Amino acid sequence: MADSQTATSAPDFKSAHFIGIGGAGMSGIALVLHERGYVVTGSDLKTSRYIRQLTRAGVKVHVGHEAATIDEVKPDVVVGFGGYVCIPVARAAEKTGVPVVLHEQNSVAGMANKYLARRADAVCVTYECSAESLGAAAPVTVTGNPVRRSVIEADRAAGRAMFDLAEDDFMLLVFGGSLGARHINEAVVALKDELLARPNLHIVHITGPKELDAVTEALALTDDEARRWHLLGYQDRMGETLAAADAIVSRAGATSLAEISALAIPALLVPYP
């Protein structure tokens, strides 16, 4: 599994413009490059907590995907991760002679990457099985999906202390990505009595910000139950939380799969929807 924060070889470019920079994975890569002294810019359709974090760090982020962005930032390379918004910016880069690098995070390639792979200068994939379906003209490199240092190097003891777990407690981590997943939340809530009947089981349940109130009401935890059912709308210390876990129930998003695999945590995966 590729680790964007522990690679020893320095990228052979000076700047990069990230299309769709507002997500957890891509913003993490962008922040690493920025911290290493590269000129990093990006664009996304709307702002997010990750964009605000990048902006505070000094990264210039453009809200919108107008092709004119290429002329403005003059990047050495444009990196796209497959959203439909990649197409106009990647085509604009192609017309101005800026190299385009694609990364397909999923096992089944999306339509945007299939379209752009025929003209991209370099194509990277997480899974070898997705390479053939891309029809890329350039060589395809299996890189895996980048995993943040904060996940790879997270301290299990610190994570368990964060939730006041004893050495013999078993921690089940439940999450549905940064926005949460209603079906997972509802299924876990329905198992409340069965789960809490296990005396050493602690549930760390990250509902997603918009789902927190509804899940809190549905669970109706007593003070005693709340000592073992840790309910959070969002968790920004995800590395330590993952390190503390003994098992996971989660969505099967690309970033989640990479992080769970890197830490070798047993997991029950619930693909969208």
Side-chain angles (χ1 to χ4, degrees):
M1 194 65 63
D3 179 359
S4 67
Q5 297 186 354
T6 56
T8 56
S9 58
D12 187 23
F13 55 84
K14 298 176 183 178
S15 66
H17 180 81
F18 286 80
I19 309 165
I21 200 171
M26 201 180 304
S27 66
I29 299 171
L31 189 59
V32 171
L33 291 176
H34 173 72
E35 290 172 348
R36 292 186 178 184
Y38 295 90
V39 178
V40 176
T41 57
S43 61
D44 215 313
L45 284 176
K46 59 183 180 180
T47 191
S48 69
R49 61 171 53 91
Y50 301 108
I51 287 179
R52 289 191 288 272
Q53 180 185 18
L54 289 168
T55 301
R56 288 195 297 270
V59 176
K60 185 176 181 181
V61 179
H62 180 82
V63 177
H65 292 293
E66 292 83 354
T69 304
I70 296 296
D71 293 329
E72 179 185 345
V73 301
K74 296 180 172 59
D76 294 306
V77 61
V78 166
V79 182
F81 282 70
Y84 71 93
V85 294
C86 295
I87 294 176
V89 181
R91 290 303 308 273
E94 177 188 356
K95 291 177 181 178
T96 56
V98 176
V100 174
V101 176
L102 299 181
H103 188 281
E104 177 55 63
Q105 297 177 296
N106 302 301
S107 58
V108 178
M111 293 180 65
N113 268 350
K114 285 182 179 179
Y115 172 76
L116 292 173
R118 298 193 297 268
R119 47 177 52 86
D121 297 273
V123 177
C124 306
V125 296
T126 296
Y127 307 105
E128 188 173 4
C129 62
S130 63
E132 185 175 346
S133 66
L134 282 167
V140 177
T141 302
V142 179
T143 61
N145 207 23
V147 176
R148 296 167 289 174
R149 182 186 297 161
S150 61
V151 171
I152 294 292
E153 298 181 354
D155 183 73
R156 177 174 170 83
R160 292 179 72 82
M162 184 166 57
F163 298 106
D164 197 24
L165 302 180
E167 186 174 343
D168 61 344
D169 286 335
F170 188 97
M171 175 182 151
L172 174 65
L173 173 61
V174 180
F175 66 98
S178 60
L179 298 179
R182 181 169 297 175
H183 289 173
I184 291 179
N185 289 336
E186 292 174 344
V188 174
V189 167
L191 294 172
K192 172 189 170 182
D193 293 340
E194 183 177 343
L195 292 172
L196 289 176
R198 302 172 183 269
N200 292 328
L201 177 64
H202 282 247
I203 303 96
V204 175
H205 186 177
I206 306 171
T207 65
K210 294 182 179 180
E211 293 286 313
L212 179 59
D213 290 345
V215 174
T216 300
E217 182 178 352
L219 282 171
L221 297 169
T222 66
D223 290 343
D224 193 48
E225 290 171 336
R227 293 188 183 95
R228 292 196 294 123
W229 198 299
H230 310 266
L231 204 54
L232 304 166
Y234 180 78
Q235 173 63 296
D236 57 3
R237 297 175 63 182
M238 202 62 191
E240 290 167 309
T241 303
L242 287 166
D246 297 293
I248 290 174
V249 176
S250 84
R251 281 283 192 236
T255 300
S256 296
L257 287 178
E259 293 175 347
I260 292 168
S261 300
L263 297 181
I265 304 170
L268 174 63
L269 302 173
V270 185
Y272 183 84

